[in-house]
Amino acid sequence: QVQLVESGGGLVQAGGSLRLSCAASGRTFSSATMGWFRQAPGKEREFVATISSQAFITNYADSVKGRFTISRDNAKNTVYLRMNNLKPEDTAVYYCAAQPKIVAGTADYWGQGTQVTVSS
């Protein structure tokens, strides 16, 4: 019903910035809370940020608060994650999620992930 495709990952120097995009196919995007999670090697997938369906409410993990910004463009069926002041500990595969459950770490739909690598 919903397909999520992430893009925008890559290799960046510490202190640099990247913008991730998640393009959603499906007819209910504008009604869905969206989010980003990440998973570093050997670690569990962790919550990064969520944004409500009309972008009125955003939520961020403490580790990225003040550095990352989640946004969405419902007309384009796309959610974004602007990552500023990147740190090596931000290195992970970043996953887009539809209707995420922060505590459970689950979602109705997941993207395939995009790799973000931050060099020292």
Side-chain angles (χ1 to χ4, degrees), residues 8-85:
L11 176 64
V12 65
Q13 186 178 356
S17 299
L18 285 173
R19 188 183 73 165
L20 306 183
S21 298
C22 173
S25 63
R27 316 304 291 184
T28 61
F29 177 81
S30 63
S31 298
T33 296
M34 300 294 295
W36 290 93
F37 289 70
R38 67 187 183 185
Q39 187 168 25
K43 297 183 178 180
E44 293 185 345
R45 190 172 298 185
E46 67 173 342
F47 156 73
V48 175
T50 59
I51 185 166
S52 62
S53 61
Q54 300 303 312
F56 292 131
I57 302 171
T58 56
N59 193 12
Y60 297 92
D62 288 342
S63 59
V64 306
K65 195 172 299 181
R67 299 189 297 120
F68 291 11
T69 302
I70 188 170
S71 62
R72 66 193 296 162
D73 186 340
N74 287 350
K76 298 180 179 179
N77 281 8
T78 302
V79 62
Y80 305 95
L81 185 69
R82 168 61 69 181
M83 305 182 293
N84 294 327
N85 192 24

Side-chain angles (χ1 to χ4, degrees), residues 79-120:
V79 62
Y80 305 95
L81 185 69
R82 168 61 69 181
M83 305 182 293
N84 294 327
N85 192 24
L86 282 161
K87 303 175 180 180
E89 51 263 44
D90 295 319
T91 295
V93 177
Y94 284 71
Y95 296 91
C96 181
Q99 299 285 50
K101 302 290 191 297
I102 295 174
V103 175
T106 61
D108 287 354
Y109 301 95
W110 293 99
Q112 83 288 350
T114 186
Q115 176 70 48
V116 172
T117 302
V118 184
S119 65
S120 301

